Amino acid sequence: MDKTVHKLLNQQINKEFYSAYLYLEFSNYFKSKGLDGFANWYMIQAQEERDHAMLFYTYLQNQNQTVTLESIDKPDPSISCHMDVLKAGLTHEEYVTGLINNIYSAAYDVKDFRTMQFLDWFVKEQGEEETKANDLISKMELFGTDPKSLYMLNQELAARVYTAPSLVL
């Protein structure tokens, strides 16, 4: 495997674990506000991100590549309202999309078709993640100031259940 591609894939493991930490922080925020549905939604997001990290981890191991685990930064989002969390989530997903695109580009440059095929799932996944984040923002803009509507949105988010990633290595 190309050294740059290997390095970027390894770094992505750390970025995915950071994403899990960030979403746990968001879950904590909503739990403290009594919005258990929102807390549940972000708890599930954290589970997804941990699984994404493990997919990168397993992929590198399956390619007989060394995995180097780094420290995970403490999330420090500036949150003063519910909408701050949702917008930070979207911004973070856009950032992760950029990271995935950079790895894909590096793999493309060296004709690492196996890694490109592996990343195809993540490209699709990031599109879904950005759509979900945008949808939450839209719903909050529509309903967030009305307590009854916020309650209903919270109930909707409480119904979300964890589904493991569909990518098979």
Side-chain angles (χ1 to χ4, degrees):
M1 180 179 284
D2 176 76
K3 288 180 185 179
T4 300
V5 172
H6 175 242
K7 178 181 175 186
L8 291 171
L9 287 167
N10 204 79
Q11 288 173 346
Q12 192 63 29
I13 295 168
N14 182 271
K15 301 295 185 184
E16 297 291 340
F17 280 128
Y18 172 81
S19 296
Y21 270 35
L22 180 65
Y23 290 138
L24 287 174
E25 184 70 27
F26 292 171
S27 182
N28 284 337
Y29 168 81
F30 282 116
K31 187 76 169 172
S32 74
K33 301 298 181 186
L35 292 169
D36 291 347
F38 282 85
N40 175 66
W41 200 91
Y42 280 107
M43 182 67 71
I44 289 172
Q45 281 299 110
Q47 289 175 302
E48 283 188 7
E49 301 305 340
R50 286 190 304 265
D51 279 353
H52 293 172
M54 294 309 298
L55 287 169
F56 281 100
Y57 179 90
T58 303
Y59 178 75
L60 283 175
Q61 286 187 330
N62 287 349
Q63 304 308 308
N64 295 314
Q65 298 296 312
T66 304
V67 174
T68 305
L69 300 175
E70 303 291 339
S71 62
I72 302 168
D73 292 335
K74 178 184 179 203
D76 192 25
S78 57
I79 299 171
S80 61
C81 67
H82 307 333
M83 188 60 84
D84 286 347
V85 175
L86 304 183
K87 287 182 177 179
L90 174 60
T91 298
H92 184 71
E93 289 301 337
E94 291 169 340
Y95 168 70
V96 172
T97 297
L99 295 171
I100 299 296
N101 290 343
N102 287 340
I103 302 168
Y104 201 104
S105 179
Y108 178 85
D109 289 344
V110 296
K111 298 182 180 181
D112 182 349
F113 301 112
R114 186 178 301 151
T115 297
M116 290 165 54
Q117 183 181 30
F118 167 70
L119 292 172
D120 282 341
W121 184 88
F122 286 95
V123 170
K124 180 180 177 285
E125 175 71 7
Q126 282 309 120
E128 293 171 6
E129 295 291 355
E130 288 184 30
T131 297
K132 288 191 290 188
N134 269 313
D135 288 350
L136 274 178
I137 291 169
S138 295
K139 288 177 180 180
M140 184 62 87
E141 287 173 343
L142 287 170
F143 307 126
T145 57
D146 175 52
K148 290 178 185 172
S149 296
L150 182 60
Y151 175 80
M152 290 176 63
L153 180 55
N154 188 62
Q155 292 302 108
E156 175 186 324
L157 298 178
R160 184 179 185 200
V161 295
Y162 180 68
T163 305
S166 60
L167 179 63
V168 178
L169 298 178

